[in-house]
Amino acid sequence: MFPGLARRQWHVFCQFYLQKHATRICQPCHGWRNSKNVRSLWFSFPDSWESILAKKQVHFFSTSGTPKDGSFLSGPDKLAAQPANEPTGQGTSNSGGIAKETIQVKVRAVLKKRDYGSKYTQNNFITAVRAMNEFCLKSSDLEQLRKIRRRSPHDDTEAFTVFLRSDVEAKALEVWGSLEALARERKLRKEVEREFKENLFRNQKLLEEYKDFFGNTKPRSGKRATFLQGPGKVVMVAICINGLNFFFKLLAWVYTGSASMFSEAIHSLADTCNQALLALGISQSVKNPDAVHPYGFSNMRYIASLISGVGIFMMGAGLSWYHGVIGLLHPQPIESLLWAYCILAGSLVSEGATLLVAVNEIRKGAQLRGVSFYEYVLQSRDPSTNVVLLEDAAAVLGVILAAGCMGLTSLTGNPYYDSLGSLGVGTLLGTVSAFLIYTNTEALLGRSIQAEQVQKLTEFLESDPAVRAIHDVKATDMGLSKVRFKAEVDFDGRVVTRSYLEKQDIEQILQDIQQVKSPEELENFMLKHGENIIDTLGAEVDRLEKELKQRNPEVRHVDLEIL
């Protein structure tokens, strides 16, 4: 009825909607249209909006900040969207008397994401040794390549020179001509290396034969000094004494036929064999780490002690129980026990002397570690000495038990007491073997150090300004007073960045920032300083690891992982 009034109300409603929801116009965006030096957006709107947008002038801003009027429409589309009675330029009013407004849409500049692929090695560094070994190059070939100084991962060197792997690969192709020629050269060099190792092994054998024939004039190996002090000395003394005891106890058993004496002879034989195994474990534990065993051979002492415990159980306890049961089932008359008593008395003195040597050695170790004698033995800090201590303690108690049972047999004439003595010695040996198996198995599984020591290490790290928090702490006893410490460290990025800036020329950095005018220049600036900040973070990790080792000598291996 009033078409003109309805049309005007419709235009007023649309204008109000555009003012309140101008930013939602960008939602139907479908892509980019690139004109010359201008980056703009193009839209597709419903047909009912065309009459509204024809009376609006939208300003779009490119990455340079220059407004481009009506860039979403061009050519015939732009002319078709404008009314016939309205000029193409900007205006302040239309035929309906409705003022036009400007809608500004800012386009955010975003750097293009780079696709590196599943395997990207263009930024990998390689050392000179790897370059010459893997790519068959000479040192003169590497002199022509770009040299890069990097922070050393080792404590004894400050920095070292590396090369880009891409440069090395290009140089290898230039030298050898093709990948096939390079592969043939690698194969040839491997054969030459294998022949060299065979000749070296042959020459070493000849050198050993020469030394055996003419005498070795070099200083004695450090392995021999291992058996002159500490656990090695205790083990060697125990081997000599237990070997003699076994010989004399065996003679006494042959002469008397006593089951208790037989158990004692078997006991001494088991002790001798087990302590020889301990000596082998000690000699292997002092070997230097190699490529196959990077953390050394310290666990060989625990392995030898574990096998020793199993040997005590099988040979000592098992045979003693067997002989005791046979004596109960088939009792035999016993001859004079005078010589047996004399041998047991001598064994008691010798075993007691070895026991005192082991006790003194454990006391020294407990004082150095700041723990009690009982805790030192229970935690198996020194497995070799523990085995000697427990075996000699069991030997002393076994001698007393065997002598008591033999005395009852002499007084009563009943051979069952002697068989019960054999069973008692077997039970004693079984208890010792069970303790050795348990403690050494715990050590081989990776036993944690005491909670007080872990707290001490954690507090030291948390007191450093560069550290926010410590998580997932693991401190494992590797044996021979060696501890491996691992923790997840949450570093304070601001402190690390300040540490980096303290070593830089701030004025020069300000000048570099002022020269940044484009996203590409900003990217180069951030990449340069970002890499240097990462290197500073690595230096902070090295500093913490070094200080942790200096303050705690038992900590030999430190793994700090950045959280």
Side-chain angles (χ1 to χ4, degrees):
M1 183 175 183
F2 302 96
L5 180 59
R7 185 181 298 107
R8 182 170 298 179
Q9 291 178 351
W10 170 251
H11 285 300
V12 172
F13 172 75
C14 292
Q15 180 183 5
F16 176 78
Y17 181 82
L18 289 174
Q19 289 176 353
K20 297 298 182 181
H21 306 277
T23 57
R24 298 187 180 180
I25 295 179
C26 297
Q27 291 181 356
C29 175
H30 292 283
W32 292 90
R33 277 191 179 176
N34 294 325
S35 59
K36 184 177 182 181
N37 298 326
V38 176
R39 184 178 295 173
S40 60
L41 292 171
W42 62 275
F43 303 87
S44 65
F45 297 96
D47 296 337
S48 60
W49 288 12
E50 291 183 359
S51 60
I52 302 172
L53 293 178
K55 298 178 182 180
K56 296 292 180 180
Q57 188 167 4
V58 184
H59 289 190
F60 295 89
F61 290 82
S62 66
T63 56
S64 60
T66 304
K68 300 296 178 181
D69 300 334
S71 59
F72 71 99
L73 295 176
S74 62
D77 297 334
K78 181 175 181 180
L79 295 176
Q82 295 177 348
N85 59 350
E86 185 176 7
T88 57
Q90 295 184 0
T92 58
S93 62
N94 56 12
S95 59
I98 302 175
K100 295 196 301 180
E101 296 182 0
T102 301
I103 302 173
Q104 297 182 354
V105 181
K106 294 185 178 180
V107 180
R108 184 178 180 182
V110 180
L111 291 174
K112 182 180 180 182
K113 184 178 180 180
R114 298 185 179 181
D115 185 12
Y116 294 102
S118 59
K119 183 178 180 181
Y120 184 78
T121 60
Q122 297 300 316
N123 58 347
N124 288 4
F125 291 147
I126 187 173
T127 60
V129 176
R130 288 188 59 191
M132 290 187 291
N133 291 337
E134 297 180 12
F135 295 93
C136 305
L137 297 177
K138 301 178 181 178
S139 58
S140 57
D141 298 330
L142 301 178
E143 293 178 357
Q144 306 172 7
L145 304 180
R146 290 177 292 179
K147 299 179 178 63
I148 304 170
R149 298 286 291 177
R150 300 295 296 172
R151 178 178 56 85
S152 175
H154 306 287
D155 297 335
D156 54 349
T157 55
E158 293 295 332
F160 66 108
T161 302
V162 293
F163 304 88
L164 276 173
R165 186 185 183 93
S166 57
D167 294 348
V168 175
E169 292 176 351
K171 187 64 179 178
L173 289 178
E174 178 184 346
V175 171
W176 298 105
S178 63
L179 294 176
E180 291 77 9
L182 178 60
R184 289 194 299 268
E185 181 64 21
R186 286 176 179 171
K187 183 177 180 181
L188 179 61
R189 292 195 179 190
K190 286 183 178 180
E191 294 178 356
V192 173
E193 182 180 2
R194 179 178 56 80
E195 294 178 358
F196 172 77
K197 289 182 178 180
E198 292 178 355
N199 294 332
L200 181 62
F201 176 77
R202 190 181 300 110
N203 292 334
Q204 287 177 347
K205 298 295 291 183
L206 292 175
L207 185 61
E208 291 178 359
E209 294 177 0
Y210 173 81
K211 291 178 181 179
D212 293 338
F213 183 77
F214 290 99
N216 189 358
T217 58
K218 290 185 177 182
R220 290 186 176 183
S221 173
K223 292 183 179 180
R224 297 184 180 181
T226 305
F227 297 101
L228 300 179
Q229 58 186 358
K233 178 182 177 180
V234 176
V235 170
M236 293 305 296
V237 172
I239 289 176
C240 297
I241 292 179
N242 285 314
L244 293 175
N245 288 338
F246 165 69
F247 178 73
F248 288 111
K249 288 178 181 179
L250 185 64
L251 291 179
W253 170 70
V254 172
Y255 178 74
T256 62
S258 170
S260 297
M261 186 57 64
F262 175 81
S263 298
E264 281 299 308
I266 295 299
H267 185 181
S268 297
L269 175 61
D271 290 348
T272 304
C273 296
N274 291 331
Q275 286 154 8
L277 182 62
L278 293 178
L280 178 62
I282 292 175
S283 65
Q284 293 294 318
S285 66
V286 298
K287 291 173 60 177
N288 295 325
D290 54 22
V292 181
H293 307 88
Y295 289 104
F297 299 83
S298 59
N299 282 337
M300 281 300 300
R301 295 195 182 189
Y302 293 105
I303 295 174
S305 299
L306 177 62
I307 298 175
S308 177
V310 175
I312 293 174
F313 183 82
M314 298 297 295
M315 184 182 296
L319 289 178
S320 297
W321 284 331
Y322 171 77
H323 204 71
V325 171
I326 293 298
L328 291 176
L329 296 178
H330 306 285
Q332 298 292 333
I334 299 177
E335 302 293 337
S336 175
L337 300 177
L338 177 62
W339 287 106
Y341 291 138
C342 294
I343 292 175
L344 285 178
S347 177
L348 180 64
V349 173
S350 60
E351 297 285 0
T354 308
L355 180 62
L356 291 178
V357 174
V359 168
N360 291 332
E361 185 63 29
I362 290 180
R363 283 180 178 174
K364 293 179 183 179
Q367 291 177 357
L368 291 176
R369 299 296 297 271
V371 297
S372 64
F373 183 90
Y374 174 76
E375 290 177 347
Y376 192 87
V377 174
L378 189 63
Q379 296 172 4
S380 188
R381 297 296 180 181
D382 188 353
S384 302
T385 308
N386 276 359
V387 171
V388 176
L389 173 71
L390 296 176
E391 286 182 348
D392 290 338
V396 172
L397 294 177
V399 168
I400 296 174
L401 180 62
C405 291
M406 290 169 62
L408 290 176
T409 300
S410 300
L411 292 175
T412 61
N414 188 352
Y416 288 108
Y417 290 109
D418 185 61
S419 299
L420 291 176
S422 179
L423 293 176
V425 173
T427 303
L428 184 64
L429 293 177
T431 304
V432 171
S433 64
F435 178 80
L436 292 176
I437 293 172
Y438 171 77
T439 55
N440 288 282
T441 301
E442 287 290 317
L444 289 173
L445 287 176
R447 178 182 51 202
S448 176
I449 63 176
Q450 294 181 353
E452 294 80 6
Q453 294 178 324
V454 176
Q455 183 66 22
K456 179 182 176 182
L457 298 175
T458 304
E459 290 178 353
F460 166 74
L461 291 177
E462 289 179 339
S463 63
D464 193 274
V467 177
R468 279 199 180 106
I470 304 295
H471 305 281
D472 193 22
V473 178
K474 293 183 177 66
T476 307
D477 187 0
M478 300 178 61
L480 300 181
S481 300
K482 294 181 181 179
V483 175
R484 181 179 180 181
F485 182 83
K486 177 261 178 187
E488 300 278 352
V489 183
D490 185 3
F491 282 91
D492 191 337
R494 296 169 297 180
V495 175
V496 175
T497 305
R498 288 193 186 100
S499 177
Y500 167 70
L501 293 176
E502 289 173 357
K503 303 175 184 178
Q504 305 300 317
D505 186 357
I506 301 299
E507 297 295 334
Q508 182 63 39
I509 294 179
L510 288 175
Q511 294 178 7
D512 295 342
I513 293 176
Q514 293 173 358
Q515 294 177 0
V516 173
K517 302 299 182 182
S518 64
E520 290 76 12
E521 294 178 353
L522 177 62
E523 180 185 13
N524 294 331
F525 176 83
M526 294 300 297
L527 290 177
K528 172 185 175 182
H529 292 281
E531 183 177 6
N532 294 335
I533 291 175
I534 293 300
D535 291 339
T536 303
L537 178 60
E540 291 293 322
V541 173
D542 293 341
R543 177 183 62 83
L544 290 176
E545 291 180 351
K546 186 176 181 180
E547 292 181 359
L548 195 63
K549 292 179 181 179
Q550 290 177 350
R551 292 175 178 266
N552 304 275
E554 72 275 5
V555 179
R556 302 294 181 87
H557 307 282
V558 182
D559 299 325
L560 298 182
E561 301 180 4
I562 301 173
L563 185 61

